[in-house]
Amino acid sequence: MLADYQRLVEVGVGRRPDVAAELAARGRDVTATDVHEREVPEGVTFVHDDVTDPDASVYADADAVYALNCPPELHRPLVAVAEAADAACLFTTLGGDQPAVPVERRPVASGTLYVARERGESGRPGT
């Protein structure tokens, strides 16, 4: 599903850049962000950014903004940066956390991918 997008920004990459690396290996343009400096694989660009106080230029050209194991307190800021960039917004949650924003649920091999908005969409799923 993420590979359907050409330019992606992963919010909160942490110490697990595997998905970003796989997307980059598939020829996608991937930027990974985090509030802490992180090592990222070749082909992935790292930018120090806080999604709760974002630098809009980081997300401006994205087709999709996504986060893996995203805690509920970051769901709204994640959607906000995606909306500002007119990008799709997708995320997974930690364990049993439920989405704090309206979403469409899509099954994936690792569980559920939540789609909070599609690219070019004026509203959110369920609104």
Side-chain angles (χ1 to χ4, degrees):
M1 170 127 236
L2 291 173
D4 294 343
Y5 302 97
Q6 185 58 40
R7 293 178 313 269
L8 301 103
V9 177
E10 180 172 340
V11 172
V13 68
R15 293 185 179 97
R16 296 184 177 178
D18 300 348
V19 171
E22 176 63 27
L23 290 165
R26 291 183 180 199
R28 302 308 182 263
D29 181 2
V30 183
T31 298
T33 72
D34 204 291
V35 295
H36 303 287
E37 293 298 320
R38 301 291 185 185
E39 293 288 324
V40 293
E42 187 174 333
V44 176
T45 302
F46 178 79
V47 176
H48 184 268
D49 192 62
D50 182 346
V51 74
T52 65
D53 184 23
D55 175 349
S57 68
V58 173
Y59 309 91
D61 294 326
D63 297 322
V65 176
Y66 72 96
L68 305 174
N69 300 319
C70 189
E73 64 270 15
L74 296 183
H75 296 176
R76 283 184 178 80
L78 184 72
V79 172
V81 296
E83 284 179 340
D86 192 26
C89 181
L90 310 97
F91 63 92
T92 63
T93 60
L94 294 164
D97 288 343
Q98 291 300 307
V101 295
V103 295
E104 180 181 312
R105 289 166 168 78
R106 298 204 183 145
V108 292
S110 60
T112 302
L113 181 67
Y114 299 102
V115 180
R117 81 180 304 274
E118 295 285 356
R119 188 157 197 236
E121 184 177 75
S122 59
R124 296 181 192 150
T127 60

